[in-house]
Amino acid sequence: MEAPRRGNGSLGVSRGYSWGASAALAGLVGLLIAATVVGNVLVVLAVRSSRALRAPQNLFLVSLAAADILVAALVMPFSLANELAGAWAFGPAWCRLYLALDVLFCSASIAHLCAISLDRYWSVSRAVEYTRRRTARRIKGVIGAVWLLSALISCPPLLSRPAPDGPPGCRLNDETWYILASCVGSFFAPCLVMGLVYVRIYRLAKRRSRSLSLKPPPQPRRGASRRNSVDAPDARSGRALDLWAAAASSRRGREGSVSGGGGSSVSQAREKRFTFVLAVVMGVFVLCWFPFFFSYSLYGLCREACQVPEPLFKFFFWIGYCNSALNPLIYTVFNQDFRRAFQRILCGARAGRGQRRRRGRRRGKPQQQERFLP
């Protein structure tokens, strides 16, 4: 039996599928590709069109969505064709490029999540200082570095050549050093960094919340305005950590924290909700890709003695691809700003005007003024 192949998710050349099985598999993968493209395009449009989602750090989500779209457009169709045909039929040049793109987009996805985790940590540990320095230009520079690092990781498939003997296929270098290096560099090392960072965020938020609960609230000086007392750096940093701890515990607690503060606390509460959502995104990514990378690295260590059955390895491989379609669903379930933006995009301007009219009625505005709303 051949070595596991990163490029097509197969342990060996396929023996062929019946017409019914081929149609079913093509239909499932077609739905996966469509869901990935549509969902991530909605993410890009939501960040660009929604005022609540225009924060610079959300550029990470746009770039991550772009990587998922490219996976669906440039990798999944060829993986499906290779699986159904049982052999690579697109030539050695495209094989090398296809393998490099597969490694590139997977590495870019986890590198984005790693950069996002560090951004969340700095926004919690240095709330005031880091928020002032976090600009769209800096975020774009970090995104560029993420893609450059991912491109360097994906270079070996471009430089290697397929084996001249054996059945026609498209597979990565089968040497142990490359298998282990690619698994560590593309998955295990970034996962370790993200795990340590989020543990640090949790401990920092918990410690600050405990200290705030034990300390009585400061009394404002006579003559000091409420706005000045709310916007003090120490209070703002402490409240940010407290709101993040509430966000991790329950949604009701998060909403209660938001309703009790001013404009600054609302924006910080939204940022901490994003931290919670992105922690879920990271967890789902690890769950989707861990089985593949674990079984692939086991094969690199002990070869046939640790090789998983072919159908199971294929399942692990395609579960990893499913992760590209899950992020928009996570945003929809856990973040109300994305839900509202998706509804506005899907339902159109008419639904948006209807929502504004309903809000105007609740606020007691005259109905004659509603027709002048944009």
Side-chain angles (χ1 to χ4, degrees), residues 182 303 317:
S182 62
R303 299 294 169 168
F317 182 80

Side-chain angles (χ1 to χ4, degrees), residues 189-216:
C191 282
L192 179 62
V193 172
M194 288 188 294
L196 294 176
V197 167
Y198 274 100
V199 167
R200 178 62 179 166
I201 291 175
Y202 175 76
R203 289 181 177 177
L204 186 62
K206 189 175 181 180
R207 184 170 63 250
R208 181 59 65 89
S209 299
R210 187 183 300 113
S211 64
L212 289 176
S213 63
L214 296 176
K215 184 171 62 176

Side-chain angles (χ1 to χ4, degrees), residues 69-355:
I69 293 172
L70 292 174
V71 168
L74 300 178
V75 177
M76 289 188 195
F78 296 96
S79 296
L80 174 63
N82 198 28
E83 180 63 32
L84 294 178
W88 183 258
F90 304 101
W94 179 249
C95 171
R96 292 194 295 271
L97 182 58
Y98 158 79
L99 292 175
L101 291 176
D102 190 10
V103 177
L104 169 65
F105 298 143
C106 179
S107 301
S109 295
I110 196 166
H112 276 91
L113 295 177
C114 194
I116 289 171
S117 66
L118 292 173
D119 175 80
R120 298 293 101 181
Y121 172 70
W122 290 325
S123 68
V124 172
S125 61
R126 303 178 228 171
V128 178
E129 178 185 358
Y130 181 70
T131 302
R132 290 174 180 172
R133 296 192 306 168
R134 183 204 275 158
T135 62
R137 185 176 181 179
R138 288 179 180 270
I139 296 297
K140 291 178 181 178
V142 175
I143 292 174
V146 164
W147 280 103
L148 179 60
L149 177 62
S150 303
L152 293 176
I153 295 175
S154 65
C155 281
L158 290 174
L159 304 178
S160 62
R161 293 186 177 183
D165 54 347
C170 187
R171 51 191 177 275
L172 288 174
N173 191 329
D174 190 42
E175 297 183 17
T176 300
W177 70 268
Y178 179 78
I179 294 176
L180 297 181
S182 62
C183 289
V184 171
S186 297
F187 185 77
F188 290 111
C191 282
L192 179 62
V193 172
M194 288 188 294
L196 294 176
V197 167
Y198 274 100
V199 167
R200 178 62 179 166
I201 291 175
Y202 175 76
R203 289 181 177 177
L204 186 62
K206 189 175 181 180
R207 184 170 63 250
R208 181 59 65 89
S209 299
R210 187 183 300 113
S211 64
L212 289 176
S213 63
L214 296 176
K215 184 171 62 176
Q219 298 295 330
R221 296 190 304 270
R222 180 175 299 178
S225 65
R226 182 178 182 272
R227 179 178 180 180
N228 291 336
S229 64
V230 170
D231 288 341
D234 292 340
R236 192 163 77 179
S237 178
R239 185 167 54 256
L241 292 169
D242 191 19
L243 288 172
W244 188 90
S249 61
S250 67
R251 180 177 179 183
R252 181 177 299 178
R254 293 197 305 271
E255 295 177 351
S257 300
V258 174
S259 62
S264 175
S265 63
V266 170
S267 63
Q268 291 181 1
R270 179 181 291 119
E271 183 172 331
K272 302 317 158 188
R273 288 200 301 270
F274 283 169
T275 303
F276 174 73
V277 171
L278 293 170
V280 176
V281 170
M282 183 197 75
V284 171
F285 182 91
V286 172
L287 289 176
C288 288
W289 278 109
F290 177 80
F292 169 80
F293 279 101
F294 182 72
S295 58
Y296 191 44
S297 59
L298 276 183
Y299 171 81
L301 289 173
C302 50
R303 299 294 169 168
E304 284 75 10
C306 303
Q307 191 167 300
V308 300
E310 179 180 353
L312 184 60
F313 188 82
K314 291 180 181 180
F315 176 75
F316 289 162
F317 182 80
W318 285 100
I319 285 295
Y321 278 161
C322 289
N323 177 80
S324 298
L326 292 179
N327 288 344
L329 295 178
I330 296 173
Y331 303 148
T332 303
V333 171
F334 291 98
N335 191 277
Q336 61 180 353
D337 293 326
F338 271 104
R339 284 200 301 272
R340 291 171 180 171
F342 291 162
Q343 290 174 357
R344 185 163 54 249
I345 294 170
L346 294 175
C347 299
R350 182 177 300 179
R353 287 194 296 267
Q355 291 179 0

Side-chain angles (χ1 to χ4, degrees), residues 8-21:
N8 61 1
S10 176
L11 290 174
V13 176
S14 175
R15 297 173 182 173
Y17 293 90
S18 65
W19 285 106

